[in-house]
Every structure is written in C-alpha cells, then in structure tokens.
Amino acid sequence: MAFLDLDGLTVHVQRLGPQDGGPPAATAVLLHGLLTDSLASFYFTLAPALSAAGVEVLMYDQRGHGRSGRPATGYRLEQFVDDLEALLDRLELTGPVHLLGNSFGGTVAFGLAARRPEQVVSILAVESEPASPAWAAKLDVLLRRAERELPQDATLAWVTEQHGAHTARLARSASRLLSGTTLARDIPASLLPAEAELRAIRCPVLAVYGTESDLAEQSDWLDELLPGCRSTFVAGQEHSVLIEAPDVVRELALFWLQEHGAELRDPTARLEGRVG
C-alpha cells in the first residue's frame, strides 16, 4: 500500500507484481466506478488472478473514493483522467498498458485512450460507456437522485434488507461524498470528447454487459462507434457484473489479455479460444 501526492491530491495506490517474481507479461491498470466503489472491488475479485498469471497490476482509489483524498470540488471527468495521467507519469509507466474499467472507470479509460492513444494497448470496459451528451444527462439524473435519496432512513433500510449491512455502509459513505463535495454537479458538467475523438480510438475494446442491464442496449452503437470494439454479455446480470459474477469477469480478462499479447505464465491461466 502506498500514498502518493499528485498535484496536492493524496492518492491511495496498490501495485501487485507478478506472483512468480518474473518480468511482467503485461501491465494492467484497474479503474473502479463511482460512489460505492473503490479499488477493493478489484483487489478481491480480479487483481489476484492477473498477478498469478504474471501481469503487473496497478489499482488506485479515484479522487473522493476509498482512502484517497476527498477535495470539496474538482470532480469533472477530465480531472479523473488527469489523475490517471499523473499517476502513470509519477510511477514512470511510460510503456503501453491495458485498461480495465468498471462502470465510470471504463469512462475514464476511454478518456485516456482518446488523449494518449499510443499508451493504451486495449480496454476492457465492464458495464461502461464513453462520455457523451447522453451519458452526461443520464449521470445528472442518477447522481441527483442519489444525492436526494441516500440520506433517507427508508432508503438505507431497504439497502440493508436487500443487499446487506456492508452495502449499506457503502451507501452511507456515498451519501457523505455527495453531500460534502460538488461531484453530483461536476460530473454532468464534464468536458465531453467530440464524437470524432472517440471514433479515433483504435485500440481493441471489449465491452462487457449484463443481459438485464440498461446499458446492454447500447452495444450496437458502441460497436459501430469504435472500430476495434466488440461486445459480450453475462447472462442474468444487471449492472453489478464485477461483483456478482467475478469468475466470469476473471475468465474474460485473462482471455482478453492473452489475445492481445500477454504471455500468461500461470498454467491455470493458459486459456484456449477467444472472447466472443
């Protein structure tokens, strides 16, 4: 565990090298989502399998989340992308990296790929999408609703009943983040990439959706927008694919990295076939 200062923001970073101590087969940066998410979601699901396969893994808590600093302002998408750029530079990760993003983390990944195309080998985006006017409008509605409803006792009681005490604690933390910062207003006001900038993203992209998720219907649009994109679906899942179906996500990620140049060393990670 480490804490780095990035232009005045304290960032909590976890870095896992290959478990066998050998040279990395690839470098993967794992990017978590908004509000109730943190690097812990990857630490207990995907990261150990990647490290066992010989992959160098970089995870960090995004601004306002987990153990990273929580400034009162400064939550536009471009500032999250700035943080990722600064972190890669600070750690001297100048070579190509694979970006694996969950929800909003995938949106950050697309932002870096548009800004630094030469540094991104591939993107695996779980229940995610690039920033667009429709994305900003949707996040405006969702964040304002969360800001209004999460502090209510009835909401927390329902979360506890349906999802357990741990998720309720995450919901309380998300409520404090929303009430104590400008995140709910900053995200919808983000500087959005032009469609031409998104179409210029040429790295391979695997978009993973739950079949019951509202995002699944955007797959045709995203496949058309990004020349190197293809979609795959996890049956019976909604938005929380990473947490609810971690074994599937691990298998997809290992397939994906192997397909795109990673010579995985762990025998259990030597997979046959392709992601479809």
Side-chain angles (χ1 to χ4, degrees), residues 24-44:
T27 298
V29 183
L30 312 185
L31 301 159
H32 69 75
L34 282 176
L35 297 185
T36 59
D37 212 354
S38 70
L39 69 78
S41 294
F42 286 115
Y43 191 86
F44 293 106

Side-chain angles (χ1 to χ4, degrees), residues 120-143:
V120 180
V121 180
S122 74
I123 295 173
L124 191 157
V126 180
E127 276 290 306
S128 186
E129 60 189 308
S132 67
W135 169 85
K138 177 173 63 178
L139 266 290
D140 188 25
V141 172
L142 292 175
L143 290 170

Side-chain angles (χ1 to χ4, degrees), residues 44-46 240-252:
F44 293 106
T45 56
L46 184 56
S240 298
V241 173
L242 176 64
I243 301 303
E244 300 295 334
D247 291 344
V248 175
V249 176
R250 282 193 292 266
E251 184 177 3
L252 288 171

Side-chain angles (χ1 to χ4, degrees), residues 220-266:
D220 289 342
W221 166 77
L222 192 60
D223 289 350
E224 189 279 328
L225 177 72
L226 302 178
C229 181
R230 69 182 188 266
S231 299
T232 191
F233 302 87
V234 183
Q237 294 298 319
E238 297 182 347
H239 188 62
S240 298
V241 173
L242 176 64
I243 301 303
E244 300 295 334
D247 291 344
V248 175
V249 176
R250 282 193 292 266
E251 184 177 3
L252 288 171
L254 291 168
F255 268 128
W256 182 249
L257 293 177
Q258 184 171 259
E259 181 178 340
H260 295 287
E263 297 183 2
L264 305 181
R265 294 197 294 275
D266 183 77

Side-chain angles (χ1 to χ4, degrees), residues 163-182:
H163 302 286
H166 174 68
T167 302
R169 286 194 294 273
L170 295 178
R172 290 189 187 93
S173 178
S175 179
R176 291 192 294 270
L177 173 59
L178 289 168
S179 64
T181 72
T182 57

Side-chain angles (χ1 to χ4, degrees), residues 149-161:
E149 295 184 0
L150 282 180
Q152 298 178 12
D153 291 340
T155 299
L156 291 174
W158 181 88
V159 171
T160 302
E161 180 182 351

